[in-house]
Amino acid sequence: MKQISTEKDLSTALASSIKSKKTIGFVPTMGALHRGHISLIETCKKQCDTTIVSIFVNPTQFNDKKDFERYPRTIDNDLALLKKAGVDFVFLPNEKLIYPKPDKRKFNFGKLDQLLEGKHRPGHFNGVAQVVSRLLEMIKPDKLFLGQKDFQQVMVIRELIKQLKSPVKVVVCPTVRDDENLAMSSRNANLSDEEYDEATFIPIWLEEVKKLATRYKVSQIKARIETLIARREIMKLDYFEICDTETLEPIKEFSETDQAVALIAVFVGKTRLIDNVLM
Ligand code: PAF
């Protein structure tokens, strides 16, 4: 596995793949790697000749400076995991390389980035779009691998790719869960034992939501989840919505859509977790 931290080394590394017409698969990450990332890498390795993973904790996508500072950084462990997973290249840019000058670009994703995460974390998706567009420009992969856990992020990045007229193909991989069914997330590392136990209610509630959908109205299901969370002392609901998978607009009746998705964001202590389930 080759570590790359300059643009020149990056083009040298990728030149031979491009010359020999090998397909390049790219997995962007912010580090603190876990089984979710490894499953993206495994899928990438199956579908592409060359696998490149980036690790960059992107400051522009954090609307809260403290959240950026708290974000777990475990670089030695990450490198060991990537080596074991058989990654070809790991790209470790510094901030100057990604943003040689402050990135002032403002993307327009319409309603898509004003709902849910976009509403609760203003500017978040603009920052994601800034970093992803830079990484795509530098790496020029054939395929980009993303996780379904970040449902809205996938939709925003698809729209970004459309706007950039980039030929990269997006591959979405299923959410990986731990033994207690909690969605794997780098943020789980910040949970205390007590918080972890509380967090394991999230997938239980989402499974319940799926069952309730056959008998109850959207408003009743929402009220049920809000009540359940209000009862938990160390949890605070940021949002829970049932939305159309095509537009991500919240629905009032299940009859409004062919396919709905339930999305949740909850603070467990100071850690904000997100999850979703297709219904
Ligand atoms: O999902 C993430 O880890 C980040 O948002 C991404 C896509 C690597 C951009 O910083």
Side-chain angles (χ1 to χ4, degrees):
M1 179 177 80
K2 196 169 167 23
Q3 288 183 37
I4 298 164
S5 48
T6 67
E7 201 161 4
K8 187 164 168 275
D9 284 352
L10 181 67
S11 17
T12 315
L14 295 172
S16 69
S17 294
I18 295 164
K19 207 166 154 209
S20 48
K21 295 206 168 17
K22 285 185 175 167
T23 51
I24 298 170
F26 173 43
V27 182
T29 84
M30 297 206 296
L33 303 180
H34 49 69
R35 279 199 287 119
H37 296 111
I38 301 304
S39 101
L40 295 178
I41 291 165
E42 284 166 358
T43 311
C44 180
K45 278 174 62 78
K46 275 188 206 138
Q47 296 191 13
C48 300
D49 304 312
T50 303
T51 296
I52 175 160
V53 175
S54 66
I55 299 181
F56 178 65
V57 186
N58 172 37
T60 70
Q61 71 186 74
F62 288 84
N63 57 322
D64 176 354
K65 202 160 175 274
K66 287 216 178 75
D67 192 25
F68 173 65
E69 280 156 13
R70 264 172 61 82
Y71 201 83
R73 288 154 171 94
T74 56
I75 189 69
D76 292 343
N77 190 49
D78 291 348
L79 293 175
L81 286 174
L82 293 178
K83 202 165 169 196
K84 193 159 164 245
V87 163
D88 300 293
F89 301 112
V90 53
F91 183 39
L92 303 162
N94 62 16
E95 202 177 324
K96 237 203 131 63
L97 183 54
I98 297 290
Y99 303 119
K101 49 183 196 290
D103 194 337
K104 298 247 163 55
R105 286 175 299 163
K106 289 265 179 279
F107 293 86
N108 181 356
F109 299 120
K111 277 197 181 160
L112 196 53
D113 71 342
Q114 285 156 35
L115 301 155
L116 309 169
E117 288 298 287
K119 185 167 163 198
H120 290 258
R121 300 178 70 191
H124 167 64
F125 286 126
N126 199 64
V128 170
Q130 288 174 340
V131 74
V132 172
S133 61
R134 271 296 283 152
L135 290 166
L136 292 179
E137 179 184 271
M138 284 191 256
I139 297 169
K140 297 186 183 56
D142 297 285
K143 289 188 179 183
L144 174 69
F145 293 81
L146 300 170
Q148 197 205 297
K149 184 180 82 78
D150 298 300
F151 195 92
Q152 190 173 9
Q153 171 168 279
V154 171
M155 291 180 78
V156 168
I157 293 178
R158 280 191 196 280
E159 179 57 31
L160 169 74
I161 287 169
K162 210 162 111 190
Q163 293 185 11
L164 295 174
K165 299 190 173 58
S166 159
V168 67
K169 297 237 167 355
V170 175
V171 180
V172 184
C173 303
T175 302
V176 176
R177 297 180 181 278
D178 69 11
D179 296 343
E180 300 295 327
N181 255 342
L182 183 66
M184 299 296 297
S185 161
S186 304
R187 290 169 189 268
N188 294 356
N190 285 339
L191 298 169
S192 67
D193 289 350
E194 188 201 359
E195 288 168 348
Y196 175 83
D197 289 344
E198 286 289 297
T200 59
F201 280 107
I202 300 169
I204 295 173
W205 292 330
L206 288 182
E207 276 311 306
E208 188 179 324
V209 163
K210 240 164 102 174
K211 288 186 197 131
L212 295 176
T214 54
R215 284 175 289 137
Y216 292 91
K217 291 184 169 175
V218 170
S219 57
Q220 289 171 317
I221 299 175
K222 282 185 68 178
R224 165 101 181 122
I225 294 298
E226 281 160 17
T227 312
L228 283 171
I229 296 185
R231 282 192 202 141
R232 315 303 311 178
E233 266 181 25
I234 57 170
M235 279 196 180
K236 195 173 154 285
L237 181 64
D238 213 14
Y239 64 76
F240 171 75
E241 293 288 355
I242 298 180
C243 301
D244 181 315
T245 50
E246 290 290 312
T247 61
L248 220 56
E249 299 242 26
I251 55 166
K252 288 201 170 64
E253 307 285 345
F254 285 107
S255 57
E256 282 173 39
T257 176
D258 287 339
Q259 172 125 58
V261 56
L263 304 111
I264 193 166
V266 194
F267 281 97
V268 185
K270 287 192 178 126
T271 306
R272 187 175 184 277
L273 301 178
I274 58 169
D275 201 351
N276 65 77
V277 66
L278 285 171
M279 302 175 69

